[in-house]
Every structure is written in C-alpha cells, then in structure tokens.
Amino acid sequence: MENNRIKYYLERSIALAEDNCQNHKGGPFGAIIVKNDEIIAECGNSVTTTIDPTAHAEVNAIREACRKLNTFDLSDCEIYASCQPCPMCLSAIYWARIPKVYYAADKNDAKDAGFDDSFIYEELEKEEDKRSIRIERLRLPSSSKPFIKWKSMTTKIEY
C-alpha cells in the first residue's frame, strides 16, 4: 500500500509538471506537499510567468503549504517532486524541515532537457575567491549587532 501511495503522489507531481509545460506556466517541474495523507499544496514551476528565478515548484509548494498551515515548520509533511530537487530547492526543504522527499526524474534527466545544476555544485566546492560570482566580506564594527540583539531578545520566535 505504501508504494501505491508514493506512486500516486509522484504521478500527480509529474502530471502537474506536464500541465505546467502544456499551459506555458513555467518549466517542466511539479511538486506536492502532503500531510497526514492530505495534499496541502500542489505547485508547478513559475519562473517565467512570475519573473522570479526562485519560483521553482518545490519552493512554490513550500510557500503555499506554509501559508495554508500557518507555520514555517513542515516537519510533519512529505514532498513529492517530479524531479530531483536542485540545490536551492533542497536547501528550502531543509529549512522547512521536511523529513522525506520523493522524486521521479533525476538531475541527469533534467540536464538532458537543458536544466543543468552541476555548475552550482562545482561552484560551492570552490573557495570564495575562485567562484564565478564575486563574494567579498567587509567587516564593519556593527556587523554583529543584529545577532547580539537577537540573542538578547526574550520575545523572539525561534526557527
């Protein structure tokens, strides 16, 4: 029964990705977030329609699920994605504390279709001064002030 449930949600994410292409909503990606066997969010990639490079299916689904559940903690949910999450989406999944990811196609399938994230993995392995994007730190006397303030707050919401 468990495999049938997983296949069902993965097939839905794939159908969502296909619909996304067919209707020119964005790239060929779909994601579904499920809690207690109930679909909380179903989203496709909307990078081109929203003019937002972070609007991947998984990120969109996380945003929608958080809004619907009124929480930033999705540790009692699962995510089903039509394709293996990219580095950004995987990071968002970690930040949302989603403990289980199921996916259908892998990064090689995505690469064959023109969605190659391997350069990001390669860039992250490099020292900051060797990366294609220039990253420079300028230490200011006030650099740590927000963190000092945060640590002293008694009314903060931990995440």
Side-chain angles (χ1 to χ4, degrees):
M1 184 62 181
E2 178 70 8
N3 271 348
N4 288 339
R5 186 178 71 80
I6 294 167
K7 286 179 185 176
Y8 171 76
Y9 292 127
L10 281 177
E11 287 293 346
R12 280 187 73 130
S13 73
I14 292 166
L16 191 59
E18 286 182 299
D19 178 69
N20 218 45
C21 292
Q22 182 69 32
N23 294 307
H24 306 288
K25 296 177 186 174
F29 303 96
I32 297 173
I33 294 182
V34 175
K35 177 181 178 178
N36 298 328
D37 217 22
E38 178 187 342
I39 294 175
I40 305 300
E42 290 184 289
C43 294
N45 173 296
S46 62
V47 169
T48 57
T49 55
T50 60
I51 319 298
D52 179 354
T54 68
H56 291 198
E58 296 91 335
V59 171
N60 288 343
I62 288 168
R63 288 173 179 160
E64 183 176 322
C66 288
R67 273 193 302 274
K68 283 184 176 176
L69 297 173
N70 195 33
T71 183
F72 50 79
D73 183 350
L74 300 178
S75 59
D76 51 359
C77 297
E78 302 169 327
I79 190 166
Y80 298 82
S82 63
C83 188
Q84 183 176 2
C86 75
M88 177 187 68
C89 292
L90 187 58
S91 295
I93 290 165
Y94 274 105
W95 282 117
R97 298 184 181 106
I98 300 173
K100 188 69 179 179
V101 178
Y102 298 96
Y103 65 89
D106 70 10
K107 61 184 176 183
N108 294 315
D109 298 315
K111 181 179 179 178
D112 287 344
F115 298 92
D116 186 6
D117 297 324
S118 60
F119 76 97
I120 296 172
Y121 291 108
E122 292 165 6
E123 284 286 299
L124 292 174
E125 292 294 319
K126 296 177 184 176
E127 296 295 322
E128 284 184 356
D129 63 340
K130 304 282 191 252
R131 294 180 184 168
S132 62
I133 295 175
R134 184 180 169 151
I135 299 172
E136 184 176 333
R137 179 184 184 191
L138 180 58
R139 181 76 172 158
L140 302 175
S142 59
S143 294
S144 297
K145 285 177 90 171
F147 297 112
I148 293 166
K149 177 90 166 167
W150 174 260
K151 289 192 297 186
S152 70
M153 289 177 58
T154 58
T155 58
K156 64 187 169 205
I157 298 172
E158 300 271 351
Y159 64 97

